[in-house]
Amino acid sequence: IKELAAQCNELLELNIWDKNYKNDLVSVRMLYGALLILSGGENIKRGIAELESLLITFQQVNLSGTTDSIFLSLMIGYYSLKNYDKCTETFRRYEKIIKGKPVYHANDISIHTYYYLSRWFLTESNQYLVKLKSNYERTNEVGGPKKAIEEFVRYFNLPIKL
């Protein structure tokens, strides 16, 4: 992962990203930010900064097809840092941006999963466990990260039956 992130960084430093390759630049920056987050440690903060910058820099560009991937990576990053308030804020931004737009269902389910988990850790309100279970049941209809949700429940010993 670290080697791939380094290769992305090398690509980003090249002076090839004129107006003809804007979509490619967005894709490489998104991949770079996600890889930094997945590589862990201090790189999580760097990856989050890269993705937040990407959203701001290209807010006038149609990011459809990548929006949910960017927000999923941000949710993973903030969740990894146990910054559950930022998970909530990021989820709300995601909901606002994707309204009426198509999303990849597995990413959407994952984003909701991180949101419900972060809200449960902040509030310990059972409503978020109920929502998590409902989100889990969505995987039966549209596919998605069923096993990941099961692992979260098992790892954190959540009082919920899936």
Side-chain angles (χ1 to χ4, degrees):
I1 291 174
K2 289 179 182 179
E3 185 177 316
L4 288 172
Q7 289 176 359
C8 285
N9 189 42
E10 287 175 20
L11 282 172
L12 291 170
E13 290 177 0
L14 297 175
N15 191 17
I16 60 172
W17 306 108
D18 61 13
K19 62 183 176 183
N20 295 321
Y21 298 106
K22 193 173 287 187
N23 289 339
D24 296 320
L25 174 60
V26 168
S27 295
V28 174
R29 284 188 64 186
M30 180 189 69
L31 179 59
Y32 178 59
L35 287 169
L36 286 172
I37 289 168
L38 293 175
S39 66
E42 286 300 311
N43 286 333
I44 295 172
K45 292 176 184 176
R46 288 181 47 220
I48 288 171
E50 179 68 32
L51 294 175
E52 292 286 5
S53 172
L54 177 65
L55 287 173
I56 292 167
T57 303
F58 293 98
Q59 62 185 330
Q60 301 303 321
V61 174
N62 182 0
L63 296 175
S64 65
T66 58
T67 303
D68 54 331
S69 296
I70 294 168
F71 277 94
L72 175 55
S73 297
L74 285 171
M75 291 296 282
I76 291 169
Y78 288 127
Y79 187 85
S80 297
L81 296 175
K82 297 182 180 174
N83 192 338
Y84 304 131
D85 288 326
K86 285 298 276 185
C87 283
T88 299
E89 178 185 317
T90 301
F91 178 79
R92 290 184 180 143
R93 286 170 46 211
Y94 166 74
E95 289 281 287
K96 183 178 175 184
I97 288 173
I98 60 120
K99 193 169 191 158
K101 296 178 184 172
V103 294
Y104 179 54
H105 292 295
N107 284 353
D108 188 63
I109 289 170
S110 295
I111 290 167
H112 280 80
T113 298
Y114 282 104
Y115 172 68
Y116 298 141
L117 287 170
S118 64
R119 293 303 301 162
W120 188 80
F121 285 123
L122 281 172
T123 67
E124 293 190 16
S125 172
N126 285 336
Q127 71 171 319
Y128 295 108
L129 295 179
V130 170
K131 290 178 180 188
L132 180 62
K133 183 173 183 174
S134 176
N135 193 48
Y136 175 79
E137 290 167 358
R138 281 178 57 202
T139 64
N140 294 327
E141 300 166 23
V142 297
K146 178 179 265 191
K147 183 78 170 157
I149 297 171
E150 292 168 355
E151 289 298 319
F152 274 127
V153 168
R154 184 191 60 73
Y155 182 80
F156 292 111
N157 198 26
L158 299 176
I160 181 176
K161 291 193 181 207
L162 301 177

